[in-house]
């Protein structure tokens, strides 16, 4: 199991995958909104989205876990 | 053959074999080459000159005292080198090892030649400490010499194995550190020592592995999968550099950029806030296959690398909107500061490609000293006297404009693409900053219209044609003309000769 973390502090603007989805390494899974920019966060490994740990609209700090992959 | 000759040959043969057979076998298992094989691969035509081959020959089992020093050629350019032999007491340093390293450094200085360090060493030979550690020509002098050589001649470190304790400073004082994944490591105290002294349990890879240093600490510049790749990287890197600071960087053959499916203007999204890949943008501007990226995995929100434009070496500093929105952080500012200093030291012109929302804000980065690190980058960029070309690709907000060689920092030119926007902050933030009170007094339903109206007004105020009309930027360039424009200007600026200021040295904001 691996976790996807926020690369910087910001607002969780969009989650583009759902629990149970298969994702590939390098695929964007969420988009943060920070410093007025859209910040795509990509999965570092391939796997299945096991659990979303944050909801759209949440503030997330740098290094915070966003979702679990399996 | 006389007896004398036979004896000499037999002794040389013994020395050139290095250490015990079992250490050769251990190295081979780890994918490590013998030191003399590495040197053969590195140079155009093997080692040309070797000194001190007989060092410590009177002692048993210490051929060359564990280090090979001498000179060779890379792309026809003479270079000096030292290379640890890890089959001899794990490449540890005795008195003669240290003296040999010091002498070749002095030779590099006298001759104005690049100095290469092929490091694979366990550190000091404790049994020899009085002879090699504290004295005037002890190990400390190696670092002292490195500091002195810095900016005089290129210093390159190839890290094939450990570089422990004090030895870890050899890479730290080099211009570039090329690390072989899994085998290379740098640390002040080994995991065993860490467990003993501070009670921490950690693996070598986590503590000081090549991947960690190339992605987290920023001590490594290039992560190679094996020794062959590392050696190739060192050769490629030196191809951008002159032998010393008084010479010009070597020109290569002019090559057009790689053919691309998308035109340059189609890479940049209409929406100012949407990301795009700056790497693709760079590929449009530079000669095909000429990019050599430094610290690729570390702080990727800024891209730093060498390239050729019409054959001439240039240093590229570009924001990467694809990573962290291209926002500058403490690590990215630090990374850029070092790269800019490196280019400036060896006369390599700098091209800045700006698309930056500004420096990051928030508690985390303030505590990490973003102001201090940001100041480093601005100081390095400000002080650079090589040709300095600033291109505003899209947005340049706040101190981000300053850090990317904005007009106040004496770039030779500040160009803008038609998509450029220069301002203290973006329209959304600005309207909020100026009209927050006013907005809160308005009835809910009137707010969106008011905000939109003010944003449009703001947009017009920072219009790029207005900034050109105020002489803030020097020209607005069509994207498909940008490469040509940069080539012409680089040629025009090539004899730039400027002294930044009269003083001993600045008080570095480090």
């Amino acid at each position: 199991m691996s976790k996807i973390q926020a690369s910087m502090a910001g607002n969780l603007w969009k989650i583009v995958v759902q629990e149970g989805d298969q994702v590939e390494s390098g695929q964007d899974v969420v988009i943060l909104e920070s410093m007025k920019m859209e910040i795509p966060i990509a999965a570092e490994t391939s796997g299945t989205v096991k659990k979303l740990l944050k909801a759209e609209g949440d503030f997330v700090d740098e290094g915070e876990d966003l979702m679990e992959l399996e | 053959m006389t007896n004398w000759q036979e004896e000499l040959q037999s002794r040389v043969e013994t020395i050139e074999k290095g250490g015990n057979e079992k250490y050769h076998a251990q190295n081979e298992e780890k994918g490590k080459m013998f030191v003399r094989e590495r040197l053969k691969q590195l140079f155009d035509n093997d080692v040309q000159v070797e000194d001190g081959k007989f060092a410590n020959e009177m002692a048993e089992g210490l051929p060359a005292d564990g280090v090979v020093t001498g000179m060779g050629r890379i792309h026809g350019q003479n270079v000096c080198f030292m290379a640890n032999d890890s089959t001899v007491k794990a490449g540890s340093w005795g008195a003669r090892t240290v003296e040999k390293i010091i002498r070749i450094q002095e030779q590099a200085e006298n001759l104005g030649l690049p100095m290469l360090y092929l490091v694979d060493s366990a550190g000091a030979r404790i049994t020899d400490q009085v002879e090699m550690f504290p004295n005037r020509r002890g190990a400390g002098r190696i670092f002292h010499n490195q500091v002195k050589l810095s900016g005089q001649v290129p210093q390159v470190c190839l890290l094939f194995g450990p570089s422990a304790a004090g030895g870890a400073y050899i890479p730290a004082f080099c211009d570039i550190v090329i690390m072989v994944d899994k085998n290379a490591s740098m640390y002040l105290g080994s995991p065993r020592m860490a467990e003993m002294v501070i009670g921490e349990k950690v693996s070598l890879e986590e503590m000081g592995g090549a991947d960690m240093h190339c992605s987290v600490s920023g001590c490594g510049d290039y992560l190679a999968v094996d020794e062959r790749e590392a050696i190739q990287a060192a050769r490629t890197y030196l191809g951008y550099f002159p032998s010393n600071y008084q010479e010009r960087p070597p020109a290569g053959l002019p090559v057009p950029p790689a053919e691309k499916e998308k035109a340059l203007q189609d890479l940049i999204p209409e929406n100012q806030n949407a990301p795009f890949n700056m790497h693709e943008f760079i590929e449009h501007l530079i000669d095909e296959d000429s990019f050599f990226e430094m610290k690729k995995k570390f702080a990727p929100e800024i891209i730093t690398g060498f390239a050729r434009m019409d054959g001439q070496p240039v240093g590229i500093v570009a924001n990467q909107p694809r990573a962290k929105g291209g926002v500058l952080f403490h690590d990215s500012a630090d990374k850029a500061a070092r790269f800019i200093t490196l280019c400036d030291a060896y006369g390599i012109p700098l091209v800045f490609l700006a698309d930056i929302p500004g420096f990051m804000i928030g508690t985390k980065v303030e505590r990490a000293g973003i102001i201090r690190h940001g100041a480093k980058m601005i100081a390095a960029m400000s002080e650079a006297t090589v040709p300095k070309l600033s291109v505003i690709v899209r947005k340049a907000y706040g101190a981000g404009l300053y850090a990317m060689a904005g007009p106040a920092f004496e770039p030779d030119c500040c160009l803008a693409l038609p998509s450029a926007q220069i301002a203290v902050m973006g329209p959304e933030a600005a309207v909020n900053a100026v009209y927050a009170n006013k907005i809160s007094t308005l009835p809910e339903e009137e707010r969106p219209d008011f905000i939109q109206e003010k944003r449009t007004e703001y947009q017009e105020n920072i219009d790029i044609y207005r900034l050109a009309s105020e002489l803030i930027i020097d020209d607005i360039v069509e994207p498909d003309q940008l490469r040509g424009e940069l080539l012409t200007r680089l040629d025009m600026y090539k004899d730039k000769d400027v002294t930044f200021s009269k003083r001993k040295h600045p008080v570095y904001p480090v």
Side-chain angles (χ1 to χ4, degrees):
Chain A
M1 196 191 67
S2 65
K3 283 178 177 156
I4 295 177
Q5 296 175 330
S7 59
M8 67 193 286
N11 201 322
L12 213 177
W13 182 48
K14 271 184 195 163
I15 301 177
V16 294
V17 291
Q18 290 175 333
E19 285 177 6
D21 281 4
Q22 179 69 30
V23 297
E24 298 295 321
S25 166
Q27 181 187 333
D28 293 342
V29 289
V30 306
I31 301 171
L32 297 184
E33 194 268 310
S34 177
M35 303 289 287
K36 304 286 161 198
M37 289 292 294
E38 295 167 20
I39 318 282
I41 310 269
E44 279 179 22
T45 52
S46 302
T48 310
V49 179
K50 190 181 169 209
K51 196 170 181 211
L52 299 175
L53 303 170
K54 295 278 173 188
E56 287 181 359
D58 284 356
F59 168 78
V60 293
D61 207 349
E62 184 186 327
E64 260 195 272
D65 296 335
L66 302 176
M67 64 182 68
E68 288 174 2
L69 285 192
E70 205 168 41
Chain B
M1 203 165 14
T2 65
N3 288 346
W4 285 348
Q5 281 173 303
E6 269 179 33
E7 181 175 356
L8 174 62
Q9 280 191 7
S10 130
R11 287 189 184 224
V12 167
E13 250 175 56
T14 308
I15 293 169
E16 291 188 345
K17 274 189 199 146
N20 193 305
E21 197 45 52
K22 78 173 176 202
Y23 299 120
H24 284 270
Q26 280 176 9
N27 273 354
E28 212 178 303
E29 254 173 52
K30 290 182 198 151
K32 289 166 84 167
M33 283 186 243
F34 179 46
V35 60
R36 292 186 187 271
E37 182 57 31
R38 287 174 184 155
L39 292 166
K40 202 180 220 169
Q41 304 268 339
L42 177 63
F43 298 126
D44 299 344
N45 191 13
D46 213 337
V47 171
Q48 295 292 310
V49 171
E50 180 180 351
D51 282 325
K53 185 181 276 178
F54 292 92
N56 223 356
E57 210 238 345
M58 298 294 109
E60 192 60 37
L62 289 169
D65 213 24
V67 69
V68 185
T69 58
M71 302 167 76
R73 291 195 191 98
I74 292 180
H75 315 298
Q77 181 187 54
N78 296 339
V79 301
C80 296
F81 72 89
M82 62 128 276
N84 299 123
D85 181 353
S86 57
T87 67
V88 177
K89 292 237 171 178
S92 61
W93 297 359
R96 292 162 193 84
T97 323
V98 171
E99 179 62 26
K100 281 174 73 172
I101 300 172
I102 292 172
R103 286 190 192 177
I104 194 65
Q105 289 180 304
E106 289 167 346
Q107 197 141 44
E109 182 178 17
N110 291 342
L111 303 174
L113 296 179
M115 178 68 214
L116 279 76
Y117 302 82
L118 282 70
V119 176
D120 188 0
S121 165
R125 216 174 282 157
I126 309 286
T127 47
D128 291 13
Q129 63 162 314
V130 176
E131 292 79 27
M132 58 68 63
F133 165 67
N135 37 335
R136 293 191 178 194
R137 287 178 76 85
R141 179 60 68 89
I142 298 175
F143 309 129
H144 180 72
N145 282 349
Q146 279 193 283
V147 175
K148 201 191 270 182
L149 286 176
S150 177
Q152 277 194 64
V153 297
Q155 296 190 90
V156 175
C157 176
L158 290 108
L159 199 53
F160 295 116
S163 161
Y169 284 104
I170 281 198
F173 291 122
C174 282
D175 307 338
I176 177 174
V177 182
I178 299 165
M179 300 181 85
V180 178
D181 201 14
K182 305 290 186 282
N183 283 343
S185 59
M186 284 168 77
Y187 47 87
L188 295 185
S190 66
R192 195 168 57 188
M193 193 190 259
E195 187 170 354
M196 220 164 70
V197 180
I198 59 172
E200 185 189 20
K201 283 193 181 148
V202 62
S203 72
L204 180 62
E205 195 57 31
E206 273 177 276
M207 167 116 91
D211 189 63
M212 188 289 282
H213 279 306
C214 291
S215 56
V216 182
S217 79
C219 287
D221 295 281
Y222 187 101
L223 186 66
V225 292
D226 57 19
E227 298 202 356
R228 269 171 214 285
E229 190 191 338
I231 286 168
Q232 202 44 56
R235 289 181 57 89
T236 308
Y237 171 86
L238 277 172
Y240 297 92
F241 281 81
S243 292
N244 59 60
Y245 78 103
Q246 285 172 314
E247 288 172 21
R248 278 177 183 262
L253 286 177
V255 181
E259 292 278 340
K260 295 284 173 202
E261 279 174 26
K262 269 190 181 179
L264 196 62
Q265 55 269 29
D266 299 333
L267 288 179
I268 307 169
E270 290 260 338
N271 174 4
Q272 282 275 350
N273 305 339
F276 72 96
N277 189 353
M278 186 63 90
H279 275 292
E280 287 181 35
F281 191 90
I282 293 171
E283 291 298 332
H284 276 266
L285 301 179
I286 63 172
D287 295 4
E288 183 167 9
D289 282 334
S290 73
F291 200 54
F292 184 89
E293 191 168 357
M294 298 282 278
K295 298 196 204 295
K296 189 180 199 162
K297 298 184 72 182
F298 176 70
E301 63 275 14
I302 195 143
I303 300 170
T304 54
F306 301 100
R308 286 200 181 75
M309 294 185 75
D310 224 13
Q312 300 294 333
V314 294
I316 306 239
V317 180
N319 309 116
Q320 168 62 296
R322 188 75 187 81
K324 295 183 173 184
V327 175
L328 272 168
F329 281 68
H330 43 284
D331 278 345
S332 30
D334 186 74
K335 168 178 166 179
R338 185 171 164 89
F339 180 76
I340 292 165
T341 310
L342 175 57
C343 291
D344 190 48
Y346 295 105
I348 299 173
L350 284 160
V351 177
F352 291 84
L353 303 172
D355 181 16
I356 173 164
F359 280 86
M360 186 61 187
I361 58 163
T363 332
K364 262 222 155 105
V365 293
E366 294 296 354
R367 285 175 174 240
I370 190 160
I371 298 172
R372 201 158 52 82
H373 293 290
K376 250 193 253 185
M377 177 177 179
I378 294 174
M381 173 278 303
S382 195
E383 229 182 292
T385 54
V386 288
K388 203 156 78 177
L389 289 77
S390 166
V391 180
I392 314 298
V393 174
R394 201 161 58 155
K395 63 202 154 328
Y397 294 155
L401 171 70
Y402 293 172
M404 295 302 286
F409 295 86
E410 298 189 313
D412 296 285
C413 63
C414 182
L415 306 174
L417 294 190
S419 49
Q421 260 190 19
I422 297 176
V424 170
M425 56 182 95
E428 299 90 342
V431 170
N432 192 48
V434 179
Y435 298 105
N437 288 339
K438 167 93 176 157
I439 292 169
S440 63
T441 59
L442 287 176
E444 194 82 41
E445 63 280 8
E446 288 176 27
R447 289 180 191 176
D449 282 349
F450 177 80
I451 292 171
Q452 198 45 53
E453 180 197 319
K454 290 296 167 197
R455 280 185 189 175
T456 310
E457 226 171 69
Y458 186 84
Q459 219 39 288
E460 282 162 9
N461 195 35
I462 61 167
D463 183 76
I464 198 65
Y465 293 98
R466 164 144 196 249
L467 297 189
S469 142
E470 300 287 353
L471 297 177
I472 291 163
I473 55 161
D474 298 301
D475 202 4
I476 303 174
V477 183
E478 279 202 50
D480 60 359
Q481 308 288 319
L482 184 57
R483 176 175 151 98
E485 181 78 26
L486 291 174
L487 292 185
T488 308
R489 287 179 184 264
L490 281 163
D491 185 59
M492 295 291 174
Y493 304 152
K494 69 176 185 294
D495 293 323
K496 183 178 179 187
D497 183 11
V498 167
T499 304
F500 184 66
S501 81
K502 192 166 171 269
R503 60 187 167 185
K504 188 175 170 201
H505 60 66
V507 180
Y508 300 101
V510 291

